[in-house]
Amino acid sequence: DLATALNNRGQIKYLRVEFAAAVEDYTAAIECQPGFEVPYYNRGLVLYRLGCFDEAMKDFRKVLELNPQFEDAALSLKQAILDKEEKQKRGY
């Protein structure tokens, strides 16, 4: 389906380190199928790598709302929280 195709295209762009383009594809997949948790997770990973911890945490929380058993999202959420706290401690 279209949402899966957009998510997969986003993965290819992510692997090419084309983060902005990957986020666009993940967002399009979400708009196409809002109950599909995978593109939220993938977009969260990109946002995390870009240091956008609040936005990443929002996506990881949405994944867990849609699928509470998604362990990688739970781990990623915990890591994003820790990294945000560390960034704040260092003052940047």
Side-chain angles (χ1 to χ4, degrees), residues 15-67:
L15 294 172
R16 291 182 181 160
V17 196
E18 298 171 9
F19 293 146
V23 167
E24 286 178 14
D25 279 345
Y26 297 140
T27 300
I30 290 164
E31 289 168 354
C32 184
Q33 189 176 337
F36 183 25
E37 72 270 21
V38 176
Y40 288 100
Y41 176 71
N42 290 333
R43 185 174 70 180
L45 290 177
V46 175
L47 293 168
Y48 171 82
R49 285 195 63 182
L50 294 173
C52 302
F53 298 125
D54 289 331
E55 294 92 335
M57 290 185 296
K58 184 178 175 188
D59 275 349
F60 296 143
R61 285 187 176 109
K62 182 65 177 180
V63 172
L64 294 169
E65 177 187 311
L66 292 168
N67 179 359

